[in-house]
Amino acid sequence: MLRSNKILLMLALLAVVCFVAEPAWADRLAEAIAEAKPEGEPGYLGIPGGPQLNVMIGLVWAIWVGWIFSTVGAFGGIMAGVGHITIYGLGDYAKSFKKTMKLNKVVTDSIRVSNQWLVGCSAALSSFNYYKAGRLVLPLGIALAIGAVSGSWLVPWLTAGKISLKAYLGYFGLFVLFLGCYLTYETTPKGQANKKAAKKAAEAFQKSVKEQQAGGQVDLAEMGVKVQKFTPTACEFTFFGVEFRFNPLIPVVGGFFIAALASFLGVGGGFLLVPFLTSVAGLPMYLVAGTSAMAVFIGMVNSIASYMLLKQTPVAWGLIGAELIGIVIGSVIGPKTSKFIPEKVLKYIFIFLALYVGIRYTTKGFLGHSLVPPF
């Protein structure tokens, strides 16, 4: 409890610093403003005529972002993107400048890295809470994180300042839509055929939760992840008496490609890690959120540093500060509530969000208008 309070205090102090800090890396932004010559009252990032943002809206939306990411291990960055792109209207604002103009790309990169600040914070808290609860496969998270380090540095270096808002929206939606379709397939009998261990472990976990709710003396953390063997080529662990094994080299390679793609999209990568962990590693959803969060956190630290230090990407610190407070609230609630949600429901939540977001942003990016309404 004391450690949790310390984490909350540290994040609160960080939020205060963000509120009073000036926008970062003014040089790149100043050049973009000088080229576009916008007029009006200073708004987002201090840009003349930029959107005026209500930080309370960001606070409330960030609570939802923190909860959904810490519950299913994904969609934190995507939901953060929905907030920045659609609710705040930063997507349409970036599009108001020609795609060849620097300000279009600066705002687009700012959206990408702002998303990552939110999901990185949620991932840090979620990893800690799930590890305490025995629902984080530490060796698997480490293997994914090793691959994520190089992938999350490479893409910002290659793409920052080169992607227009229209292209970003289209690719953003297309990848999410693909994942939604794939996970829909995984809910079919054929897709579930090789998930026997995950199903058995999920049923054992749900049974123990019900026993605890009925007043039984059940220590869920004690029955959680127990690593039996860990070498560079083999890892074995148990979860509620069910044995799992994997080759650590596979998630290292997977972590590289997942982090690279996530960094390009400006999200955490959980929407890619979830199907990787359920399909390749064969984990039940109750282990996916924490393990995904750890890998996402490492990737986010690297990607944020790459965008902001190497490519001078500015962010609105006042907005980020308010959103981090919301992220803390949602990320603390998520692990406490997810154990009461059936595994199938967790998957259906993931699928619904993937299909909705995927269709919305694929059509908006490639067709110029969305075929589905906003939230």
Side-chain angles (χ1 to χ4, degrees):
M1 182 67 180
L2 183 60
R3 292 184 70 179
S4 296
N5 289 337
K6 287 182 178 179
I7 292 174
L8 294 176
L9 179 60
M10 289 173 63
L11 289 172
L13 291 174
L14 175 60
V16 171
V17 172
C18 291
F19 272 120
V20 300
E22 293 295 321
W25 306 112
D27 289 347
R28 181 186 176 195
L29 179 61
E31 290 177 3
I33 293 174
E35 178 194 51
K37 297 183 175 61
E39 297 180 351
E41 290 295 320
Y44 182 66
L45 297 177
I47 302 171
Q52 301 292 330
L53 307 185
N54 185 327
V55 295
M56 290 306 298
I57 295 176
L59 171 67
V60 174
W61 184 258
I63 293 175
W64 155 248
V65 173
W67 182 85
I68 191 63
F69 177 79
S70 62
T71 298
V72 301
F75 282 98
I78 290 172
M79 286 296 109
V82 171
H84 293 137
I85 294 169
T86 302
I87 295 179
Y88 276 134
L90 297 180
D92 287 337
Y93 177 66
K95 286 172 61 179
S96 68
F97 302 97
K98 295 179 180 179
K99 65 180 182 179
T100 56
M101 297 184 72
K102 294 179 181 178
L103 202 53
N104 180 304
K105 297 177 175 62
V106 168
V107 174
T108 299
D109 285 348
S110 181
I111 292 171
R112 295 160 81 184
V113 78
S114 296
N115 297 344
Q116 293 179 340
W117 268 100
L118 270 61
V119 74
C121 175
S122 182
L125 285 169
S126 299
S127 299
F128 176 73
N129 290 327
Y130 278 115
Y131 180 75
K132 289 197 305 179
R135 291 167 58 190
L136 188 157
V137 186
L138 189 59
L140 181 53
I142 292 173
L144 287 166
I146 290 172
V149 169
S150 54
S152 56
W153 270 98
L154 180 63
V155 168
W157 181 71
L158 292 175
T159 69
K162 301 176 183 177
I163 303 297
S164 70
L165 195 280
K166 183 177 181 180
Y168 168 59
L169 290 182
Y171 292 128
F172 182 101
L174 194 61
F175 282 112
V176 178
L177 182 59
F178 170 77
L179 264 299
C181 294
Y182 179 77
L183 280 216
T184 300
Y185 161 77
E186 281 214 324
T187 63
T188 65
K190 187 175 181 180
Q192 287 289 306
N194 61 346
K195 304 290 189 303
K196 293 181 180 179
K199 184 177 180 180
K200 183 178 179 181
E203 290 174 348
F205 177 79
Q206 290 171 346
K207 181 180 178 181
S208 297
V209 170
K210 290 179 181 178
E211 289 179 6
Q212 188 182 65
Q213 287 180 288
Q217 298 298 316
V218 180
D219 189 341
L220 296 179
E222 181 61 29
M223 299 171 68
V225 174
K226 302 293 180 186
V227 178
Q228 308 296 321
K229 176 183 178 182
F230 183 35
T231 70
T233 58
C235 180
E236 297 177 2
F237 67 93
T238 61
F239 179 67
F240 280 76
V242 180
E243 187 175 281
F244 296 85
R245 57 172 57 90
F246 66 92
N247 183 335
L249 297 178
I250 295 176
V252 168
V253 176
F256 170 81
F257 287 104
I258 289 171
L261 181 55
S263 185
F264 171 76
L265 296 175
V267 297
F271 74 104
L272 292 168
L273 285 166
V274 168
F276 180 87
L277 292 171
T278 56
S279 300
V280 179
L283 299 187
M285 284 293 290
Y286 295 114
L287 290 180
V288 166
T291 307
S292 170
M294 179 180 173
V296 166
F297 172 66
I298 300 299
M300 289 301 90
V301 170
N302 281 277
S303 188
I304 289 170
S306 185
Y307 273 114
M308 300 190 71
L309 298 180
L310 296 183
K311 293 299 181 178
Q312 300 182 346
T313 299
V315 295
W317 286 114
L319 174 62
I320 294 294
E323 291 177 326
L324 287 180
I325 295 173
I327 285 292
V328 170
I329 297 171
S331 300
V332 170
I333 296 172
K336 297 181 183 298
T337 58
S338 66
K339 65 182 180 182
F340 301 112
I341 304 175
E343 186 182 37
K344 280 189 176 181
V345 175
L346 292 176
K347 284 188 176 180
Y348 288 139
I349 291 174
F350 185 102
I351 290 169
F352 169 77
L353 291 174
L355 294 176
Y356 173 86
V357 174
I359 294 171
R360 176 170 177 76
Y361 287 104
T362 299
T363 55
K364 188 175 180 67
F366 293 128
L367 301 181
H369 63 276
S370 175
L371 296 182
V372 296
F375 279 106

